[in-house]
Each structure stands twice: as structure tokens, then as C-alpha cells.
Amino acid sequence: MQLRYVFTELRQGLRRNLSMHVAVALTLLVSLTLAGVGLLLREQAQLTEEVWGDELQITFYMCNGANDRNPQCAGAVDDSQKKVITDALDDNRYVDKIEEESQEQAYERLQALDVEGVSGPDPVVKSSDMWESYWVTMTDPHHSAEIIEAVAGLDGIDHVGDVHEVTGPILAAVDGLQSAALVGAIVLVIAALLLVANTIRLAAFARRREIGIMRLVGASTLYIALPFLLESLVVALVGIGLSGIALAAVMYFGVEQRLSSTAVTQWVGWEEFFSSFAVVAILGILLTLVPTLLLTRKYIKV
């Protein structure tokens, strides 16, 4: 095989269809960047769920007979009511761990916060004013409502503390952004496929005379198709490189320079960036080479 001819055809093909190649590269840039952002958002959602799933809990406060908020409380919770509550929690598939806190432990925790009126010879709040409670760690922070629904109405429960009411909308927003990025990426991927197909068709039409001569002299399929494949590979590498720069800019200016200074949760890092970029690079190569392989056989009729 004459490599000089192949590279000459590659150079001429890139120059002849420059505008189409630029359009494909820019479409790949946007679509692959959106796909990479979607992957990073998925990683961020998983990190957030892991952190908040471990650190944020649902708290079931039991009746103490002193300052109950629930009018159904008829006095302090008794052992039989506690057993019903713990059985309901143990049977719930979304419950990972249960920790019991006594009135004395709750009072000690309040004293550690150095709240006015708790310590001293005549404290305003005493241990008897505190609630016994169960602190429940979940297997999945999306299912706090199921646990609350199963336990909140049981006898002996005064009220429920659920921080997931605050974190739930945040998790939903992350999931929504992830879905939007992936949908946008899919739409642009389809556009990239159509552009690749059109580019191959135009390139084959422009070289129809050379292709006919090569068919007559018995040139192999690979020899005729190789310039097309190399053109697609060059365009793919340009698009992948540009999308890598765009994703790196998102990581540096968006995450490192802005979000990392907030301690709301653990943010994605460069390890997640490189894993997402590897997926994007493979996707970019497949998006160009596979259609080229399929369409080349059709348009050059070899």
C-alpha cells in the first residue's frame, strides 16, 4: 500500500471539505462536553448521596410526657411502644442503621453546645424535658418519606426531624441537571452522526473518478476506505481534544475555584474528570469511525 498516496488524499480531503469537518468537530465538541458534564453530574450525585446518606439521618422523637408537641401523646413512651417502633424500623428495607439516644444523652449533647439556660445551678431546661429518640441512617436518601410514613403515626412518636426535606430538592436538582445534560448530548450526537454521514457522501462524490479507477485496477477495500477513516479519526481527535479542554475548564473554574470552597458536600475531583473524559474519548472515536466504516462501503460501492 502506498502510504504517500493515502496521506496525500487525507490532506486534500481535509482541505476540500474543511467547512464540513469544522462543523463535525464543533458538534462533537458540544455533544461530548455535554456528555462529560452529564457523567460528572452522575459522579457528583453519587458522592452527594454517599456523604449525605451517611451524615444526615431521620430522627424520631418519642413522647416524654412533659412538653410533647403531638396531642396524641398520653405520657412518656413505654417499652411496648418502643418495641413496636423498633420492629417497624428493623422491617423497613430502606433503614441501614438505628441509634437510640436517651434523655440524658440528649441533654449532654445540648450542654456540649453551650446553650444558655442549660448549665448552672438552676437550669431552665432539664434532662426530663428532652426527648428520647431514634436516629435512623438510610440506605438511600431518596426514600426518607417511606420510612417516615411507616413510623411517624405509631403510638409513642411525638415528632420527626428530617433533614432530607432540605437536601431532597438539592438531590433532585442534581438529577435533573444530569438528565438535561445527557438528553442534550444525545440530540447533538445524532446531529454529529448526520454530519459525518453527509461528509462521507460529499467526499465520496468528489473522489468518484479516483475511486472508479482504483476499483478497475483491483484496489482493496481498505486501500480505498483508509483516507476516509483517517479523515474521520482526525476530526474525532480534534473534537475530543476540544471537549477535554472544555471539561477541564469546567473542573478548574467551576469546581476548584468556586464550589470547592463550600463545605456543603464532597465535590468531584480530577480522578472523576479523567474517568469521565476516557468515556467521552471512546464515545467520540466510535461516533466517527463506526459510521464511516458503514457508510464508506455504501457510497464508494466496494
Side-chain angles (χ1 to χ4, degrees):
M1 178 180 296
Q2 297 180 1
L3 293 180
R4 178 180 298 178
Y5 167 78
V6 172
F7 286 109
T8 300
E9 285 294 307
L10 170 63
R11 183 174 61 254
Q12 291 178 354
L14 290 173
R15 185 173 62 250
R16 184 185 297 119
N17 300 309
L18 180 61
S19 60
M20 291 296 296
H21 291 316
V22 170
V24 173
L26 292 178
T27 305
L28 285 174
L29 160 65
V30 180
S31 61
L32 294 179
T33 301
L34 282 175
V37 170
L39 292 173
L40 288 174
L41 286 172
R42 185 186 67 176
E43 296 287 343
Q44 183 59 59
Q46 292 175 350
L47 284 174
T48 303
E49 289 180 8
E50 290 174 3
V51 172
W52 287 354
D54 292 337
E55 296 182 359
L56 300 183
Q57 300 169 307
I58 303 173
T59 308
F60 293 96
Y61 297 95
M62 291 175 280
C63 304
N64 61 8
N67 54 353
D68 296 321
R69 302 178 183 178
N70 187 353
Q72 301 298 323
C73 289
V77 64
D78 56 38
D79 292 338
S80 62
Q81 291 173 333
K82 287 183 183 180
K83 186 177 187 308
V84 173
I85 295 170
T86 54
D87 287 345
L89 291 173
D90 289 333
D91 293 339
N92 195 298
R93 59 176 176 166
Y94 299 118
V95 173
D96 182 40
K97 185 173 60 175
I98 305 170
E99 299 177 46
E100 183 177 1
E101 184 179 67
S102 66
Q103 289 179 302
E104 291 74 17
Q105 291 172 327
Y107 188 68
E108 290 174 0
R109 183 164 54 84
L110 186 63
Q111 286 180 315
L113 297 176
D114 197 23
V115 178
E116 185 179 354
V118 175
S119 303
D122 189 20
V124 177
V125 180
K126 302 178 182 178
S127 62
S128 59
D129 297 320
M130 306 301 292
W131 292 281
E132 292 183 70
S133 58
Y134 289 116
W135 293 71
V136 178
T137 303
M138 302 173 54
T139 57
D140 187 343
H142 287 94
H143 296 283
S144 61
E146 286 86 340
I147 300 177
I148 294 174
E149 183 179 357
V151 180
L154 296 177
D155 292 337
I157 296 294
D158 182 45
H159 62 282
V160 180
D162 182 19
V163 188
H164 294 86
E165 293 178 355
V166 178
T167 62
I170 299 176
L171 290 174
V174 173
D175 292 341
L177 288 173
Q178 174 189 344
S179 300
L182 292 179
V183 169
I186 291 172
V187 172
L188 288 170
V189 161
I190 295 173
L193 290 173
L194 294 175
L195 282 173
V196 169
N198 197 38
T199 301
I200 297 300
R201 183 179 64 83
L202 291 176
F205 180 79
R207 301 176 194 171
R208 62 191 183 281
R209 180 176 298 178
E210 294 90 336
I211 292 172
I213 295 173
M214 286 188 288
R215 285 207 308 267
L216 290 174
V217 299
S220 66
T221 300
L222 179 61
Y223 186 76
I224 299 176
L226 191 55
F228 297 93
L229 293 173
L230 291 177
E231 282 183 37
S232 297
L233 181 60
V234 170
V235 174
L237 293 177
V238 172
I240 291 169
L242 292 175
S243 67
I245 294 173
L247 284 175
V250 170
M251 283 295 303
Y252 181 75
F253 295 106
V255 178
E256 284 200 348
Q257 297 296 313
R258 293 182 180 274
L259 296 178
S260 61
S261 60
T262 63
V264 176
T265 185
Q266 179 181 349
W267 299 101
V268 290
W270 290 104
E271 181 179 352
E272 288 79 15
F273 163 78
F274 285 115
S275 63
S276 299
F277 180 66
V279 175
V280 166
I282 295 172
L283 178 63
I285 292 174
L286 292 177
L287 283 176
T288 52
L289 290 187
V290 172
T292 301
L293 283 170
L294 297 176
L295 296 173
T296 298
R297 297 185 63 87
K298 173 183 177 181
Y299 290 126
I300 67 178
K301 293 182 174 61
V302 295

